[in-house]
Structure formats: C-alpha cells, structure tokens
Amino acid sequence: MILRTASSRLLDDADLAALKRLLADDPIGNCSVAGRVEAYGAAPHRLGAQLWGTYGWGAPARLVAGCYVGANLVPFGRDAAETFAERARRDGRRCSSIVGRSELVAPLWQRLCQHWGPAREIRPAQPLLAIAAPPALDPDPQVRRVTAEELELLMPAAIAMFTEEVGVSPLGSDNGALYRARMRQLVAAGRCFARIERGRVIFKADLGAVSPGAAQVQGVWVDPALRGRGIGTAGTAAVVAATLGSVAPVVSLYVNDYNTAARAAYRRVGFQQVGTFMSVLF
C-alpha cells in the first residue's frame, strides 16, 4: 500500500511535539533517533543532522513518517520510501550507513541502490531484541561504569570492537579523534560499562542511545582470548540490571543474524526478539 502523504520537508523545533509523538509510537525501534531529539531538539544546527518528515492528509495533519539524516540515515514511522529516496538522491550520499527496521530500510535501499551503490556490505536481517525485566541470570559484579581516567585504557578495546563489528577501523583521516570524542562523551554520561582486571579490559558495552522509552546497548565486546567462558553473558546481564529503572524502562539491542553465539547469549540473559533491523554499510 502506498502511503499518501504530502511531500517531505525539513523538520525543526516547530515540529517537535509531533515528532516526539511519532517516535513514541515505537520506542524500541526509534531509540537512537528519539535519544538525540530528546537531547538536542529538532533544529539541524543543534541536532548536527537533518530530520525529514511527511505529514498525512487531513485536518489536523499528523506527522506519519520521518527520516534522520546524519552520520546514519534512519527512516522511522510509516513507509515513505519513495518520498525520502527522491530527496536522498537529490542531496547525494553523506551518511556511512542506512539502518533501521527492515520493513523501512529495504524499500528505501531498493530505490537508492542504483544511485548510492554499491554498498560495502548489506545486513538484511538483524534481530532486534529487548528486555524489560531483571536479567534471567546473575550479573557480573565486576562490571561497572568506566571513569574518565580510564578512557585511554578503554580505547583499544573500543577500537577492536568497532573494527570487528563494522569491518573498518574508526581511526580515519583524523587518527580517531572523532571516535575518541564520542567515547569520551559516553564515559562522561555514565554510559560505558566494563570489567577491568589489572589494567586489562576483558569486557565492555555501551549504552549507545538513551531515550525516555528505551536504552540501546551497543559495542558489546569480550577479549578474544577469554571468549566462550560466559563473560559476555554475565557482563551484558550486569549492564541490563544497571540500566533498567535508573536509566530506561526497556533495554534493547540488535545483533547480526549469523552471530549464533551472541544470539544464544542474549537469550540466556532474557532478551526476546521484537522486530528485525537492516543495515546497509558504505
């Protein structure tokens, strides 16, 4: 069914109430965008990105679809692939990925692939998982929030995680300055967790996004020499326990479908699948 909407336009703070209502319709799937909107509003100069939106016909018109346009392109709300693809083709690609619910990303990429392709990698089916109750196993008591003084200790593990997960190093032409600044920001906000033994990070995980409705775990990593011992499972349980209630009512994450070990570990923690994400990496 084709969504009948007016053409898309750039959103700003005048659309903030409508935007928050739309994002709240799917707090788990929209966590990353909702967290940024909650922190910075919708004005591009504060958000550091654009938000495109389409309003449905009727009076009063209701915002029914949106697209976050920054380092990532993230569609949300109802499917408005043709509208957003037309604008994306016109503006050209500046993002490093397209990510979001698969039912929104797939039709958008279908319309963009001839213009923005080829992609470096496509991950079409990434289970979106969530937990809203205490973890089903004992949390690792040695997992705690990373302090500002431990940032440089954390960085090698963070870089290794990013490179393993994304397939490229975060150390670009700026020698990792932007990535280090991002990690510093997460540490300062109390959103980086780790188990550190004798100056060695053996487990880490971050709350990459936090919104009123959910928190999204990212960057889960275990020292390769220690994998298969349950460290990641107990560590993730510790992150869930520390996050529920005091940070957000739901903890979510998405995982590659081929990562059977990670999926089994998350099931043991108590995560359940609530949807499917898709990522297109450039």
Side-chain angles (χ1 to χ4, degrees):
M1 179 179 179
I2 297 174
L3 175 62
R4 186 170 181 258
T5 64
S7 60
S8 71
R9 65 172 176 83
L10 183 65
L11 303 180
D12 57 27
D13 281 345
D15 303 284
L16 195 54
L19 177 61
K20 288 186 175 183
R21 281 194 296 270
L22 176 59
L23 291 168
D25 287 343
D26 180 13
I28 297 173
N30 295 339
C31 179
S32 63
V33 177
R36 290 195 60 82
V37 168
E38 191 69 24
Y40 302 108
H45 69 280
R46 290 196 307 275
L47 188 64
Q50 292 185 353
L51 283 164
W52 302 340
T54 61
Y55 279 83
W57 299 105
R62 185 176 186 271
L63 185 67
V64 295
C67 191
Y68 176 89
V69 188
N72 305 312
L73 193 73
V74 187
F76 56 92
R78 292 172 62 184
D79 181 8
E82 187 58 52
T83 300
F84 293 143
E86 179 182 354
R87 186 161 190 153
R89 288 193 297 263
R90 185 171 65 246
D91 289 2
R93 182 179 72 81
R94 294 187 292 272
C95 61
S96 61
S97 69
I98 307 173
V99 62
R101 286 196 177 268
S102 59
E103 60 267 29
L104 301 179
V105 172
L108 183 59
W109 176 238
Q110 183 179 27
R111 290 164 172 79
L112 285 174
C113 61
Q114 296 300 318
H115 306 272
W116 282 14
R120 177 171 59 84
E121 184 179 356
I122 298 175
R123 300 176 181 179
Q126 297 172 296
L128 176 64
L129 312 177
I131 182 171
L137 49 80
D138 292 336
D140 184 345
Q142 296 186 65
V143 170
R144 56 174 176 79
R145 286 179 167 86
V146 177
T147 67
E149 294 74 24
E150 294 170 320
L151 176 63
E152 293 308 316
L153 181 65
L154 178 70
M155 285 306 299
I159 292 168
M161 177 282 306
F162 187 100
T163 304
E164 183 177 345
E165 172 63 24
V166 181
V168 297
S169 171
L171 305 179
S173 58
D174 64 354
N175 197 32
L178 282 176
Y179 186 64
R180 182 172 281 100
R182 168 61 173 164
M183 293 305 300
R184 183 181 297 112
Q185 182 184 46
L186 290 177
V187 168
R191 288 161 53 179
C192 284
F193 296 82
R195 176 173 170 177
I196 303 173
E197 295 183 354
R198 295 185 294 277
R200 176 189 180 190
V201 175
I202 67 170
F203 167 85
K204 70 162 290 292
D206 315 317
L207 298 182
V210 174
S211 73
Q216 187 178 90
V217 176
Q218 299 175 353
V220 178
W221 179 88
V222 176
D223 186 320
L226 300 173
R227 292 176 184 175
R229 304 184 186 184
I231 292 172
T233 308
T236 302
V239 175
V240 169
T243 302
L244 287 177
S246 63
V247 179
V250 179
V251 179
S252 72
L253 56 83
Y254 60 98
V255 61
N256 293 317
D257 60 343
Y258 53 79
N259 194 341
T260 55
R263 293 178 65 181
Y266 295 139
R267 280 196 298 271
R268 288 195 293 273
V269 173
F271 281 91
Q272 296 184 344
Q273 185 167 354
V274 295
T276 303
F277 263 29
M278 175 177 175
S279 296
V280 179
L281 308 178
F282 299 104

